[in-house]
Amino acid sequence: EVQLVESGGGLVQPGGSLRLSCAASGFTFSSYEMNWVRQAPGKGLEWISYISITGSTVYHADSVRGRFTISRDNTRNSVYLQMNSLRAEDTAVYYCVKSSNLNYYIDFWGQGTLVTVSS
Amino acid sequence: QSALTQPRSVSGSPGQSVTISCTGTSSDVGGYNYVSWYQQHPGKAPKLMIYDVSKWPSGVPDRFSGSKSGNTASLTISGLQAEDEADYYCCSYAGSYTLVFGGGTKLTVL
């Protein structure tokens, strides 16, 4: 059974940093591309970050580029999201998601972790 | 990276059919046959319902169907059931390993 378990969310002040982790199981993690998707309270889904199988290729949405960094550790079956210079508008549930080959669609979602940016 | 355009809400009675549209551009929906649809119940994570415009993942009933014409994709749900009431999001591949979502549509089963 595929499982994606996010952790690391919480309350942080504007300008602060947070690192999200996602532990994967139930599939060959090192064979799949991964992403992070977020959802602000009462709002829609927003794709924010992609990482290739080896971690050599990453992409970020314009809204987080330069502030967020996605990475992965295939030895630990984990993907991470380092979030710096956080803003109030970054408040959201952050989902770790597993992708199809070549990232054409998302085929499994974690349960999400809530990040709240507030003073 | 502009969001795809979906109606904010649709509704239908049990047994009826409803269609949700998803309009993008030639850089996303119109440029690739990689539109997917997700169902999200309140407080839950989204679930894949349709991928590659019109394909079903294992376990998804064939009451859900997808199509695309030009820059607009559509999700049709036939034989509406109470449990279909949820938010639905379209998503398109937008090149260079990036994805773009629609704003979401709330489906109400009357």
Side-chain angles (χ1 to χ4, degrees), chain B:
Chain B
Q1 294 176 342
S2 298
L4 308 176
T5 300
Q6 296 181 234
R8 296 203 66 169
S9 64
V10 298
S11 62
S13 299
Q16 288 186 332
S17 295
V18 295
T19 296
I20 300 171
S21 62
C22 169
T23 301
T25 70
S26 58
S27 296
D28 37 63
V29 175
Y32 306 94
N33 287 321
Y34 299 122
V35 176
S36 50
W37 290 89
Y38 302 87
Q39 177 191 65
Q40 185 179 35
H41 287 108
K44 301 294 187 182
K47 173 188 174 184
L48 177 65
M49 303 302 285
I50 294 287
Y51 69 98
D52 292 356
V53 175
S54 60
K55 297 179 181 177
W56 292 279
S58 174
V60 172
D62 59 6
R63 300 187 297 106
F64 293 82
S65 62
S67 63
K68 192 190 86 165
S69 177
N71 295 337
T72 298
S74 298
L75 172 71
T76 298
I77 309 171
S78 58
L80 268 179
Q81 300 180 4
E83 58 262 36
D84 298 334
E85 184 162 296
D87 293 327
Y88 290 85
Y89 294 90
C90 64
C91 178
S92 176
Y93 182 71
S96 300
Y97 305 101
T98 64
L99 300 170
V100 60
F101 285 95
T105 298
K106 180 178 179 60
L107 169 62
T108 301
V109 180
L110 302 171

Side-chain angles (χ1 to χ4, degrees), chain A residues 26-77:
Chain A
F27 64 102
T28 306
F29 179 76
S30 58
S31 297
Y32 288 90
E33 291 141 300
M34 300 293 291
N35 296 261
W36 287 93
V37 174
R38 69 183 180 183
Q39 185 171 35
K43 302 296 184 181
L45 302 170
E46 180 189 14
W47 170 83
I48 56 171
S49 298
Y50 158 87
I51 189 164
S52 63
I53 291 170
T54 63
S56 60
T57 301
V58 299
Y59 287 98
H60 297 281
D62 292 343
S63 57
V64 305
R65 188 173 299 126
R67 301 187 298 121
F68 291 11
T69 303
I70 188 172
S71 62
R72 67 189 294 162
D73 184 343
N74 287 344
T75 66
R76 295 178 182 272
N77 286 354

